[in-house]
């Protein structure tokens, strides 16, 4: 999930087929409410959305690119389907991700609100990796001198559209709790600092 302060809203595309897709994508079912904590509920909901996008032949190419542009193996649908299906069908006590897959270190994802161990020390993801496939796009430009050799990876990522702060599910949970959102209540509409959030404020 990206949090880019420079962009207040997503651009609207003047395409009737995309408008139709945006209308249809809101009508679906989810089992995320069966999860025991907010982090897993958000992770399952996101996984379900990605799986619908992956399996629906009507999915708009721009939306597919936005969601899966860092996952080149998604192009092999036959090979990916069994893994994806197994994840989205996982039970409440099973993992919702493949442990040996890397977490791309973009925008501090996974580090904004880390877990703590018994001694209060922060626990950061151990499987982080720089998205070299994206950075590799600029190798030929470096050799031509068109990109300053001293620019760091973050600058190149910004040029590729990966700027801003990025949050994983745990980061989102930590941020909302810091803002006073009660994520432990059973209500569908969480309260903030003792007040109930009107339905119109939840998008």
């Amino acid at each position: 999930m990206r949090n880019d302060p420079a962009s207040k809203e997503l651009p609207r595309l003047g395409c009737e087929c995309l408008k139709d897709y945006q209308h249809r994508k809101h009508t679906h079912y989810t089992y995320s409410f069966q999860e025991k904590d907010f982090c897993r509920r958000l992770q399952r909901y996101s996984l379900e959305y990605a799986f619908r996008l992956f399996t629906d032949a009507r999915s708009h190419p721009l939306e597919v690119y936005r969601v899966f542009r860092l996952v080149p193996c998604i192009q092999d649908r036959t090979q990916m389907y069994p893994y994806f299906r197994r994840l989205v069908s996982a039970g409440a006590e099973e993992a919702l991700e493949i442990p040996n897959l890397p977490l791309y270190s973009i925008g501090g994802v996974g580090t904004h609100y880390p877990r703590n161990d018994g001694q209060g020390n922060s626990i950061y993801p151990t499987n982080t990796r720089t998205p070299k496939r994206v950075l590799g796009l600029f190798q030929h430009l470096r050799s031509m001198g068109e990109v300053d050799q001293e620019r760091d990876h973050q600058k190149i990522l910004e040029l590729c559209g990966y700027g801003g702060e990025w949050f994983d599910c745990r980061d989102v949970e930590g941020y909302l709790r810091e803002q006073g959102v009660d994520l432990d209540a059973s209500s569908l509409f969480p309260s903030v600092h003792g007040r109930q959030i009107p339905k119109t404020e939840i998008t």
Side-chain angles (χ1 to χ4, degrees):
M1 178 174 293
R2 179 184 178 186
N3 177 29
D4 190 349
S7 58
K8 299 300 183 182
E9 60 180 354
L10 294 175
R12 297 184 179 275
L13 301 177
C15 176
E16 292 302 322
C17 58
L18 181 56
K19 290 179 181 178
D20 177 64
Y21 170 74
Q22 290 173 334
H23 173 73
R24 288 187 289 104
K25 73 177 183 178
H26 292 294
T27 57
H28 57 260
Y29 298 97
T30 178
Y31 293 94
S32 60
F33 65 91
Q34 296 180 343
E35 295 293 344
K36 59 184 178 181
D37 59 62
F38 174 82
C39 185
R40 278 190 61 100
R41 286 197 296 271
L42 179 58
Q43 189 174 13
R44 182 176 289 279
Y45 187 89
S46 301
L47 185 62
E48 290 171 342
Y49 175 77
F51 184 71
R52 287 193 301 272
L53 194 66
F54 174 73
T55 56
D56 190 349
R58 300 168 298 176
S59 296
H60 196 279
L62 290 178
E63 182 69 358
V64 174
Y65 172 75
R66 184 188 71 82
V67 173
F68 295 112
R69 56 182 173 167
L70 284 175
V71 191
C73 58
I74 207 71
Q75 298 175 11
D76 190 342
R77 292 178 175 270
T78 302
Q79 181 179 359
M80 281 296 300
Y81 181 83
Y83 294 98
F84 219 150
R85 178 68 181 179
R86 188 156 52 246
L87 283 178
V88 81
S89 303
E93 302 299 326
E94 297 178 286
L96 296 177
E97 57 190 20
I98 301 176
N100 60 342
L101 286 183
L103 174 66
Y104 288 125
S105 53
I106 298 177
V109 63
T111 65
H112 300 291
Y113 297 88
R115 293 177 299 167
N116 294 325
D117 60 17
Q119 287 72 43
N121 300 312
S122 298
I123 303 176
Y124 295 100
T126 58
N127 60 335
T128 56
R129 183 183 303 175
T130 301
K132 295 181 179 179
R133 185 178 66 88
V134 175
L135 299 177
L137 297 176
F138 284 79
Q139 291 299 327
H140 69 288
L141 294 180
R142 284 199 183 97
S143 63
M144 297 171 60
E146 295 182 25
V147 175
D148 188 351
Q149 293 283 345
E150 299 301 321
R151 288 185 179 179
D152 58 12
H153 289 171
Q154 183 58 40
K155 183 61 177 178
I156 298 177
L157 288 173
E158 290 176 2
L159 294 175
C160 292
Y162 296 103
E165 293 181 299
W166 290 66
F167 286 28
D168 67 1
C169 295
R170 192 173 300 279
D171 289 329
V172 173
E173 179 181 26
Y175 173 79
L176 291 177
R177 290 188 184 280
E178 186 178 72
Q179 300 305 310
V181 179
D182 181 10
L183 300 176
D184 299 318
S186 59
S187 172
L188 292 176
F189 307 109
S191 59
V192 180
H193 299 300
R195 74 179 182 90
Q196 196 75 8
I197 300 179
K199 185 177 181 180
T200 55
E201 292 186 22
I202 302 177
T203 57

